[in-house]
Amino acid sequence: MEQVRLDLQFFAGEKTEKATPKKRQEARKKGQVAKSADVNTAINLIAVFLCLMMLGPYMAQHTKGMMRAVFQNYMLMDLTENNLQMLMVKISYEAGMLLVPVLIVAVAAGVLGNFLQVGVLFSTESIQPKLDKINSLQGFKRIYSIRALVELCKSLLKIGVIGGVTFAVIWSKLDGILRLPHLTVEQSVGFLGGLTLQMGLSASIALLFLALLDYFYQKFDFEKNIRMSKQDIKDEYKKSEGDPLIKSKIKQRQREMAMRRMMQEVPQADVIITNPTHFAIALKYDEDKMDAPYVVAKGVDFVAQKIKETAKANEVAMVENRPLARALYDQVEIGKAVPEEFFKAVAEILAYVYRLKKKI
C-alpha cells in the first residue's frame, strides 16, 4: 500500500497538464514568453538591407559629395581651433545624414520583430539581479545541458545554411568578381555594393526561414516548461476559488443564519399550511407591506417539523391542505407574494383563521 501511495504521489506531481490561463498570465508578467532572438535578427537584417537597397543611390551620391568636399576643400584648409571644430561638426552631420535613416529602420524592425512574437509586453523581472545567475553550479548545468546542446546544433545549422547561401551567391557572380581588376574604381564599388546587398538579402531570407523553425521550437519548449501537474492545478483552483472545505462551511453557516431568521418570522405568521407531515408554509397578510399574502417561512421534512413546533409554541393556527402546501412550496420563494391563482384558496383559509381568532 505504501508503494501504491508513493506511485500516486509521483504521478500527481508529474507535469503532464497544459498550463492554465492564470499560469500563462503569471509567466507573461515575469517576461517568460515563447520568443526567438533569430526572428528579430532576421527581420532586422532584411529591413536594413532593403533600406540600403532603396537608399543606395542617395547614399552613394551623398558619400561622393562628402569625399569630394574632404579632398578638394577640407584637406587644403589650415588647421586651427575654429576650423577643426567646424570640420568635426560638418563631417558628423554628413555622416548622420547617411546613418540615421538606417538606424531608424533598424530600431523599427527590432520593435516589429518583438511585437509580432509577444505583442505589447513590459516586464522588469528578467533584468532583476539574481544570485542564481552567478551560481557556478547552475552555470555548469546551463552549459552542459540538453538546451545548450540544442543551441549548439542550431548555431552550426545557421552557420552552414547562411554560409552555403552566401557561397552560392558569390559563385553565381564569379565571372564578375574575376573581371574586377579591369573595372574602374566607381564600377568596382558599384559591383561590390550590389553583391553585398544580394548576399545580405539572401542570407537574411535564409535566416528568417531558420528563425521561424526556431520560433516553433521555442514555443514547444515554452509550453513544455510551463506544464503543470494535477496537484498544481488543484492548488491553483484552491487559491483562486477558495478551499472547498472552507466554502462548504461558509455555506452551511449561511444556511443556519437564514434558518434562524426564517424561524424568527414564524411567530408573526397568520397561518401555517401543512401537508401535514412533509411540507409547512407560513403565510402572513399585511396590507401595509404587500397587497397579497406572502410567504414568511417554508420547509420540508425536518424544517417543516421545526416550523410547526415553533408555530404551536406561539399559538399560530395550522391548516392542513396538501395540494396547496405542495404548490406553494414549489412555486413561491420566501418573502414573495402568493400568485393570483392561489388567491381564492388562501383567502378561504385566512377567513377561517380570522373567524377562529374572533371566537377565541
Side-chain angles (χ1 to χ4, degrees):
M1 289 297 292
E2 182 66 20
Q3 183 62 40
V4 173
R5 186 177 66 83
L6 291 175
D7 291 342
L8 290 175
Q9 288 180 350
F10 173 77
F11 286 115
E14 191 175 1
K15 298 185 182 297
T16 57
E17 307 301 314
K18 288 185 177 180
T20 60
K22 186 174 185 297
K23 177 67 178 290
R24 294 178 185 277
Q25 186 177 8
E26 290 177 352
R28 184 177 177 84
K29 286 181 180 179
K30 295 178 181 178
Q32 299 173 1
V33 290
K35 177 184 173 183
S36 172
D38 291 338
V39 172
N40 288 1
T41 303
I43 293 177
N44 217 312
L45 288 174
I46 290 175
V48 168
F49 280 114
L50 287 176
C51 176
L52 292 174
M53 183 178 291
M54 290 186 292
L55 298 180
Y58 158 77
M59 297 179 76
Q61 192 68 26
H62 200 82
T63 302
K64 286 193 292 184
M66 186 172 64
M67 297 301 293
R68 187 179 296 112
V70 168
F71 288 108
Q72 291 182 355
N73 300 323
Y74 301 155
M75 292 187 68
L76 301 178
M77 295 176 59
D78 295 331
L79 287 179
T80 64
E81 184 177 349
N82 293 332
N83 288 344
L84 184 60
Q85 183 179 1
M86 182 272 294
L87 288 175
M88 292 299 297
V89 171
K90 184 69 174 177
I91 293 175
S92 299
Y93 174 78
E94 296 295 337
M97 293 295 291
L98 289 173
L99 297 177
V100 166
V102 179
L103 293 176
I104 292 174
V105 169
V107 172
V111 173
L112 177 63
N114 280 289
F115 179 77
L116 291 176
Q117 293 186 84
V118 301
V120 179
L121 175 63
F122 179 78
S123 174
T124 59
E125 183 75 20
S126 57
I127 61 175
Q128 289 181 358
K130 296 180 180 179
L131 294 178
D132 290 343
K133 294 181 179 180
I134 59 175
N135 188 322
S136 58
L137 182 60
Q138 293 293 334
F140 182 82
K141 289 181 179 179
R142 284 195 296 268
I143 294 173
Y144 298 97
S145 62
I146 298 297
R147 186 176 183 84
L149 181 61
V150 171
E151 294 297 327
L152 175 62
C153 294
K154 283 164 45 182
S155 299
L156 294 176
L157 180 63
K158 284 188 288 186
I159 292 172
V161 171
I162 294 174
V165 169
T166 305
F167 177 79
V169 173
I170 294 175
W171 186 262
S172 66
K173 300 293 184 179
L174 186 59
D175 292 340
I177 294 173
L178 295 176
R179 288 199 302 269
L180 281 176
H182 305 287
L183 300 178
T184 63
V185 173
E186 186 175 357
Q187 291 173 335
S188 298
V189 171
F191 175 82
L192 291 175
L195 180 61
T196 302
L197 289 176
Q198 189 174 353
M199 286 191 300
L201 276 176
S202 301
S204 301
I205 292 172
L207 179 61
L208 180 61
F209 174 74
L210 295 177
L212 292 176
L213 296 179
D214 180 57
Y215 173 75
F216 289 117
Y217 166 75
Q218 296 293 342
K219 193 170 184 179
F220 165 78
D221 187 60
F222 172 74
E223 292 292 335
K224 184 178 70 173
N225 289 332
I226 65 171
R227 281 180 186 171
M228 304 173 68
S229 65
K230 290 182 172 61
Q231 187 61 41
D232 292 336
I233 294 176
K234 289 180 181 178
D235 293 341
E236 181 185 289
Y237 176 79
K238 286 182 180 179
K239 289 179 181 179
S240 60
E241 300 295 331
D243 193 329
L245 181 61
I246 296 176
K247 289 178 68 177
S248 65
K249 289 184 178 179
I250 292 174
K251 288 182 179 179
Q252 181 181 357
R253 184 63 59 86
Q254 290 173 343
R255 286 194 296 267
E256 292 174 354
M257 293 173 63
M259 176 74 71
R260 284 197 294 268
R261 286 196 301 268
M262 185 179 71
M263 288 302 176
Q264 290 172 359
E265 295 293 330
V266 172
Q268 309 301 323
D270 292 324
V271 64
I272 308 297
I273 302 175
T274 64
N275 182 293
T277 55
H278 294 294
F279 296 93
I281 313 296
L283 297 180
K284 181 176 179 61
Y285 177 60
D286 185 352
E287 59 183 357
D288 294 333
K289 187 174 182 180
M290 203 170 290
D291 294 335
Y294 60 94
V295 176
V296 296
K298 69 175 184 177
V300 62
D301 295 332
F302 173 76
V303 178
Q305 295 299 324
K306 295 290 291 183
I307 291 174
K308 287 188 286 185
E309 290 175 5
T310 305
K312 186 176 181 181
N314 291 274
E315 298 182 350
V316 178
M318 287 185 284
V319 176
E320 179 182 337
N321 189 323
R322 298 187 180 187
L324 181 60
R326 181 62 183 265
L328 290 176
Y329 181 84
D330 291 337
Q331 299 182 34
V332 187
E333 297 297 328
I334 297 174
K336 300 296 183 181
V338 173
E340 188 176 353
E341 60 202 73
F342 301 119
F343 278 2
K344 183 178 180 182
V346 171
E348 291 176 354
I349 292 174
L350 289 175
Y352 168 73
V353 171
Y354 292 155
R355 285 197 300 268
L356 284 178
K357 288 183 177 179
K358 286 181 180 180
K359 290 180 180 180
I360 296 173

